[in-house]
Amino acid sequence: MTMVPLEIFQTILRHLDRLLVYLKIRPIGLRLPKSASRIFETRNHDVVLPTSIMRPLHEFQREALALFSEPCNIQRMSHMSACLNTEYVKKLKRGTECMLPSFCHTLPTGQEEGTFIALDMGGSTFRVALVALSTRVADNDGMNIKHITVNKINESIRRLPARQFFAWMAGKIQDMLHQCKDGQISQDETISIGLAWSFPIEQTSHQGGTVQPMGKGFKAHEGVIGQDLGNLLEVACRERGLEVQVNAIVNDSSATLLSQAYKDPATTMSLILGTGTNAAIYLPVKHLGEDKFGMRDPSWFEQAEKVIINTEVSMFGKGILPTTRWDEELNRAHSAPDFQPLEYMTTGRYLGELLRLVIAEAVGTCQMFGGLMPDNISGRYTLDTALLAAIEEDTTMGCISSAERIQKEFGLLSLPTPAEMTFLRTVVEAISHRAAAYIATAIHALWSLKHGGPHEATSKTSVAANGSVMLMYPGFRTRCQRYVADMIAAAHSSKPSRSNHEVLIQPTHEATILGAAVAVAIADAT
Ligand code: GLC
């Protein structure tokens, strides 16, 4: 093919443009006429550089590994923990977005009883269950899910406006009630409900709380911020002829804490890491500023010595937890930039997206996958975090099992090369190890709120762990546990009084839905 002089000139400019990207200088962004573009553009309109000026994949792999791993050493993590701790203390004193006190001032005793409808509105499922609590005895935790329905939340449900969203919830509650066997639920009475809500909420009572911006890609808060959540759901149910009364609302982090405390009284913290992340902590009321409690009856303060706090810990970390250029890209393209810095670097919703952004750069600058971004992962949030877990779990020779899965999921014509597999595995491990390090740092900083004094006694804290990444991602919980222990040990070398402190991150089972039931039982008893 012969090129006219103008096309040759444009081609040189295009190469220059890509070279600037490679050298990390802002490209000049030249647009080519269609005819010239065809020669150099890939399917996704990325320009392909001649192989001679491509960056070797192993070199990029080294850089990515260094960027993700650099902050993950105990010394730096301990420093970050101290900075986070300072931020936590500030937000415990004032502000309405995070460090939100619930109305739960006692932990369950394990003696609460009753049968309840429990709802768990999570990031990717809405579950409706009939739960029986029958008191804890030696070999039985006394919690029983008698019936449960699991409803997937897809992107279209995430985007529903408030009215349709609550109508959808009401429909699913009705479906579950229809499925319950005769006699399990009385048809004549108003049905008492406990709701675990995986989004921020400003509690106004045990039963009530006002809607706050939801995150996780949901739209249902738009137009109803500040309205009562329980009321919105009750009205939606009534419109379907269903008389329900929301008798307890708790954030999913508090629900997790409540259900595990029902089983194990040493539980005073919880940690969620699934689609989103959060933690709850049981702290003395005096740690919080007066304004944090809103309008509460003075009798509440007379009874309350400690209180369960929904920390919304996902919102912390900006300016403290180091970011890579891929984090920054993700944040820039996010519908709520900077809203949840810790979450954007650690949770199931984002780990896959981070890997996708690294792959996109490798495709563009290192000829990964022949320089073509696979169509199946060319859109945002199209790479599932479950794939990262599968890659890390793979013990087959040459990671053949995950190579085959990648070929299928990405829609590649051939298997990824061994060098590409090594690259992917290295980056995946770097992303997940950093996530574990940041989560451990956030937990250590929270735990330090309980153990700030110089002379405190020996202690054992159980942290109830929940969420798909925490419970299912290979090695994740163990890594977090080790990081927290190492941070405590490192502090011990300078402060001998901390030597006997132990933090145990305990896996839970069905904690959110069970916790919603425990919350109703506690509310009924107060
Ligand atoms: C998000 C929400 C928070 C929730 C967490 C875990 O960070 O803001 O309320 O607890 O996800 O589901």
Side-chain angles (χ1 to χ4, degrees):
M1 171 178 310
T2 47
M3 284 193 206
V4 294
L6 174 65
E7 282 178 336
I8 293 173
F9 177 66
Q10 286 173 325
T11 305
I12 291 168
L13 278 181
R14 291 195 61 148
H15 282 179
L16 194 59
D17 208 30
R18 296 300 294 182
L19 193 60
L20 293 177
V21 173
Y22 173 62
L23 295 172
K24 297 192 215 121
I25 298 168
R26 182 181 261 279
I28 50 184
L30 181 83
R31 290 239 171 275
L32 283 183
K34 259 202 174 138
S35 56
S37 307
R38 240 178 280 129
I39 307 169
F40 296 101
E41 286 186 358
T42 70
R43 251 182 303 170
N44 297 303
H45 318 292
D46 277 334
V47 180
V48 179
L49 276 177
T51 331
S52 55
I53 53 167
M54 278 287 165
R55 182 182 196 188
L57 189 60
H58 65 85
E59 205 179 290
F60 179 40
Q61 174 180 317
R62 225 181 4 247
E63 190 207 357
L65 176 61
L67 288 175
F68 282 112
S69 320
E70 211 212 329
C72 309
N73 64 67
I74 297 303
Q75 203 188 351
R76 288 199 63 179
M77 286 161 63
S78 302
H79 175 69
M80 293 187 264
S81 166
C83 298
L84 283 175
N85 185 274
T86 307
E87 290 294 304
Y88 295 164
V89 171
K90 269 193 221 154
K91 297 289 182 185
L92 278 165
K93 296 295 174 210
R94 71 190 74 85
T96 53
E97 284 185 321
C98 50
M99 294 298 175
L100 308 168
S102 68
F103 275 69
C104 301
H105 56 76
T106 52
L107 292 177
T109 59
Q111 302 306 302
E112 295 79 2
E113 287 181 292
T115 300
F116 308 96
I117 299 290
L119 311 181
D120 168 17
M121 172 45 81
S124 43
T125 56
F126 173 47
R127 301 182 319 146
V128 186
L130 183 67
V131 174
L133 302 179
S134 58
T135 78
R136 179 180 70 221
V137 287
D139 56 350
N140 187 336
D141 64 22
M143 307 170 112
N144 186 6
I145 298 180
K146 293 177 143 302
H147 189 82
I148 187 162
T149 56
V150 180
N151 307 286
K152 272 221 141 296
I153 298 177
N154 56 26
E155 274 311 303
S156 65
I157 291 169
R158 274 204 179 88
R159 293 208 193 93
L160 287 179
R163 200 181 153 83
Q164 279 104 310
F165 182 77
F166 288 105
W168 178 80
M169 282 180 75
K172 297 301 173 193
I173 297 171
Q174 197 163 42
D175 291 350
M176 134 79 192
L177 293 174
H178 282 150
Q179 288 173 24
C180 278
K181 291 189 210 83
D182 285 348
Q184 277 183 317
I185 296 167
S186 156
Q187 302 299 318
D188 318 320
E189 289 167 26
T190 301
I191 297 158
S192 164
I193 279 183
L195 167 63
W197 185 247
S198 300
F199 307 95
I201 175 172
E202 197 182 338
Q203 301 268 180
T204 49
S205 66
H206 261 305
Q207 299 72 26
T210 56
V211 175
Q212 305 295 316
M214 290 171 74
K216 295 179 186 168
F218 282 77
K219 297 274 179 229
H221 58 273
E222 288 176 8
V224 293
I225 301 253
Q227 291 189 31
D228 187 81
L229 176 60
N231 192 44
L232 286 166
L233 185 58
E234 284 171 5
V235 168
C237 286
R238 204 164 302 133
E239 280 171 3
R240 293 188 150 256
L242 200 60
E243 277 309 318
V244 306
Q245 192 166 331
V246 179
N247 279 332
I249 300 182
V250 277
N251 177 260
D252 58 344
S253 61
S254 309
T256 297
L257 202 167
L258 285 172
S259 74
Q260 189 67 10
Y262 190 93
K263 300 179 187 176
D264 169 12
T267 314
T268 49
M269 287 174 67
S270 69
L271 165 65
I272 312 248
L273 186 67
T275 313
T277 188
N278 200 359
I281 185 166
Y282 189 49
L283 277 185
V285 167
K286 63 174 191 278
H287 276 45
L288 291 123
E290 263 175 43
D291 292 353
K292 297 291 296 195
F293 292 97
M295 302 291 283
R296 281 186 198 205
D297 198 287
S299 64
W300 187 87
F301 292 97
E302 281 157 25
Q303 292 170 11
E305 204 183 303
K306 291 185 168 186
V307 61
I308 295 182
I309 299 163
N310 162 20
T311 64
E312 289 295 336
V313 74
S314 63
M315 296 181 188
F316 290 85
K318 189 166 168 58
I320 297 176
L321 304 172
T323 53
T324 63
R325 57 180 179 271
W326 306 290
D327 299 306
E328 278 147 30
E329 199 175 336
L330 185 151
N331 184 52
R332 259 196 314 273
H334 200 282
S335 57
D338 297 331
F339 179 47
Q340 295 173 304
L342 176 68
E343 185 150 314
Y344 300 169
M345 293 191 271
T346 57
T347 69
R349 182 156 169 79
Y350 301 104
L351 297 183
E353 177 64 1
L354 280 176
L355 175 64
R356 197 189 70 82
L357 292 172
V358 178
I359 292 176
E361 187 174 327
V363 166
T365 65
C366 308
Q367 279 273 301
M368 189 176 184
F369 301 141
L372 297 177
M373 187 64 177
D375 278 344
N376 292 359
I377 56 159
S378 62
R380 290 171 53 208
Y381 297 99
T382 45
L383 200 161
D384 193 337
T385 296
L387 181 67
L388 282 73
I391 294 175
E392 277 204 57
E393 204 163 35
D394 191 358
T395 51
T396 57
M397 184 85 107
C399 289
I400 186 69
S401 145
S402 43
E404 282 167 357
R405 180 164 170 176
I406 289 167
Q407 180 183 7
K408 190 157 161 251
E409 286 191 17
F410 290 7
L412 301 172
L413 292 177
S414 55
L415 283 173
T417 64
E420 287 168 349
M421 281 311 294
T422 308
F423 172 83
L424 288 170
R425 185 151 187 149
T426 307
V427 175
V428 164
E429 282 177 7
I431 290 174
S432 80
H433 282 227
R434 185 191 66 165
Y438 283 5
I439 288 293
T441 304
I443 281 297
H444 179 263
L446 273 180
W447 170 81
S448 304
L449 290 172
K450 288 158 59 70
H451 296 274
H455 303 299
E456 73 277 9
T458 301
S459 73
K460 179 172 155 190
T461 305
S462 277
V463 182
N466 197 359
S468 53
V469 177
M470 228 343 124
L471 300 179
M472 272 144 44
Y473 197 102
F476 202 98
R477 186 175 57 82
T478 324
R479 252 178 252 150
C480 282
Q481 175 75 69
R482 205 176 44 237
Y483 276 135
V484 175
D486 288 352
M487 277 188 273
I488 293 175
H492 159 53
S493 53
S494 57
K495 288 186 191 158
S497 62
R498 291 194 171 190
S499 57
N500 289 322
H501 292 307
E502 196 183 6
V503 176
L504 284 177
I505 303 181
Q506 300 278 20
T508 58
H509 182 62
E510 301 291 10
T512 320
I513 199 97
L514 293 171
V518 174
V520 193
I522 291 183
D524 283 357
T526 51

